[in-house]
Amino acid sequence: MKLRLLLLLTFPLVLWMAVAGGLVRVGVPVPTSAGGIGWHGALMVGGFFGSLIALERAVALGKRWGWLAPVGAWLGALLLLAGRPEGMLLITAASLMLVAMSVSVWRRQAQNFTFYLAVAAGCWSIGNVLWLMARPLAEVLGWWMAFLVLTIAAERLELSRFAPRPPWAERAFDAVMLLWLAGLLSGAGLLTGLALLALAAWMVRFDVARHTVRGQGLPRFVAICLLSGYAWLALSALALMAGGGYQAGPGYDMALHGVVIGFVLSMVFGHALIILPAVSGLKARYRPQFYLPLLLLNIGLLIRFSGGWLVRADWVALGASLNGVALLAFMLLVLNALREGRRHSRPGR
């Protein structure tokens, strides 16, 4: 439990240093380490998201050896923040350990969604190996994005079983995954963009969020986060196709940040108050104020997208700054939610 809490308390630091490094890259003067600037993408994907996903998987697996993955990714992130490239090796080893954990879960529960969770972990490992081989960053990022998006898609596939859906829905999901992997293996940005667009449409059509958005409180907030994330996934797919695929330029930059900020962070915002209590054992209290960082996140990303298409560096910097403020506000609200949850869970409350 102490190790789990230590990881959870330091994850926000890794995330903020990675975000600060990204802000410096677009011209926003914020304090960060040299590692935060130089390893911005690796810290975001491996240091924060990879560690968090591995931690969740280790708790679910319930095996001591499973903790090697989140601890390895966490230590690797700290090394990268210190400017030590040896962190690359630890993060790669952590991703291979996540593959082993995911395969173990799939063998225990042979379902479509557990299979795709293992495939997602494999995508992270492939991206990390390419990263170690000093392959072009655009090629590496394609696999890293696949890891994040496929992990979320597999979890939503599991939950979609609780909503009415036709028998062909799961076969359609399989077809989308095949198209996506074909795009990754061939390096064809058009195929990848079409697959992402089809995946966004599938999740909008079959996700339980279409029903829970009519609810109240936390379920409604989660649904709004999910649906806004699916919209950003679709826009990112269009930007990837319009920008010529895996080519450096505004289209690819917009697709990348639309996926990581618009889609993935929207999922994080929506699930934080569900996952954190499950992983940490602490209670969290939802407040309507959580809509504020979500609104800032979407406004900032819209400004960043507009700045990318119009080639306005000042708009890109403004949008990125608003995203940073949104993330900081969200982390403060989460800490307050945990504090209130602890206070209201005391005996006599």
Side-chain angles (χ1 to χ4, degrees):
M1 176 63 76
K2 290 182 179 179
L3 176 60
R4 195 184 308 181
L5 289 176
L6 175 63
L7 291 174
L8 287 172
L9 288 173
T10 52
F11 280 163
L13 172 64
V14 173
L15 176 60
W16 178 249
M17 294 300 283
V19 170
L23 290 173
V24 171
R25 286 185 169 197
V26 297
V28 181
V30 292
T32 185
S33 67
I37 301 171
W39 303 101
H40 164 63
L43 286 168
M44 284 289 292
V45 176
F48 177 71
F49 292 121
S51 296
L52 195 60
I53 291 168
L55 175 61
E56 183 187 4
R57 205 73 49 83
V59 172
L61 184 64
K63 303 290 185 181
R64 287 188 176 181
W65 61 267
W67 286 89
L68 293 172
V71 172
W74 172 70
L75 290 174
L78 295 182
L79 284 174
L80 292 182
L81 280 174
R84 304 290 299 179
E86 294 86 352
M88 297 168 60
L89 293 172
L90 278 176
I91 290 178
T92 302
S95 67
L96 293 171
M97 186 59 63
L98 181 62
V99 172
M101 281 198 293
S102 301
V103 169
S104 177
V105 171
W106 174 60
R107 292 180 64 184
R108 182 190 301 176
Q109 186 181 4
Q111 299 286 338
N112 236 16
F113 73 91
T114 56
F115 170 75
Y116 284 121
L117 286 173
V119 173
C123 289
W124 185 25
S125 295
I126 292 172
N128 286 339
V129 170
L130 294 172
W131 177 40
L132 287 174
M133 295 169 60
R135 298 291 297 174
L137 188 57
E139 184 180 345
V140 174
L141 288 171
W143 290 100
W144 282 353
M145 283 197 295
F147 161 56
L148 298 177
V149 177
L150 186 50
T151 297
I152 294 168
E155 291 175 347
R156 301 316 301 175
L157 174 65
E158 177 192 10
L159 292 175
S160 70
R161 296 179 301 171
F162 301 105
R165 68 181 191 187
W168 54 265
E170 199 155 328
R171 293 194 296 272
F173 187 92
D174 293 337
V176 172
M177 293 299 105
L178 285 174
L179 180 63
W180 190 3
L181 291 175
L184 281 172
L185 290 170
S186 64
L190 179 61
L191 287 182
T192 307
L194 286 172
L196 288 176
L197 190 61
L199 179 60
W202 191 96
M203 289 193 285
V204 168
R205 172 64 179 83
F206 297 114
D207 200 294
V208 294
R210 294 177 63 233
H211 307 281
T212 56
V213 74
R214 304 187 189 101
Q216 301 289 331
L218 180 59
R220 181 181 177 87
F221 173 73
V222 173
I224 291 174
C225 288
L226 293 173
L227 295 174
S228 65
Y230 300 154
W232 282 115
L233 185 63
L235 286 173
S236 300
L238 294 174
L240 185 65
M241 291 186 287
Y246 296 103
Q247 303 292 329
Y252 184 68
D253 180 78
M254 290 164 56
L256 174 63
H257 290 93
V259 168
V260 176
I261 299 175
F263 177 66
V264 180
L265 274 184
S266 291
M267 301 299 120
V268 171
F269 279 21
H271 290 95
L273 296 184
I274 299 172
I275 293 176
L276 280 176
V279 171
S280 67
L282 303 175
K283 295 183 181 296
R285 192 173 177 85
Y286 165 75
R287 293 287 189 186
Q289 289 86 341
F290 275 97
Y291 280 102
L292 177 60
L294 179 64
L295 180 63
L296 284 175
L297 188 80
N298 283 276
I299 291 174
L301 203 49
L302 278 172
I303 295 173
R304 181 168 186 152
F305 258 51
S306 303
W309 279 120
L310 298 174
V311 196
R312 291 289 303 269
D314 54 337
W315 288 22
V316 172
L318 175 60
S321 299
L322 287 177
N323 290 152
V325 171
L327 184 59
L328 186 59
F330 180 76
M331 289 192 291
L332 292 174
L333 285 172
V334 167
L335 290 174
N336 185 62
L338 291 172
R339 183 184 62 83
E340 289 193 348
R342 182 180 179 184
R343 185 180 65 191
H344 284 269
S345 64
R346 288 173 182 167
R349 289 279 181 180

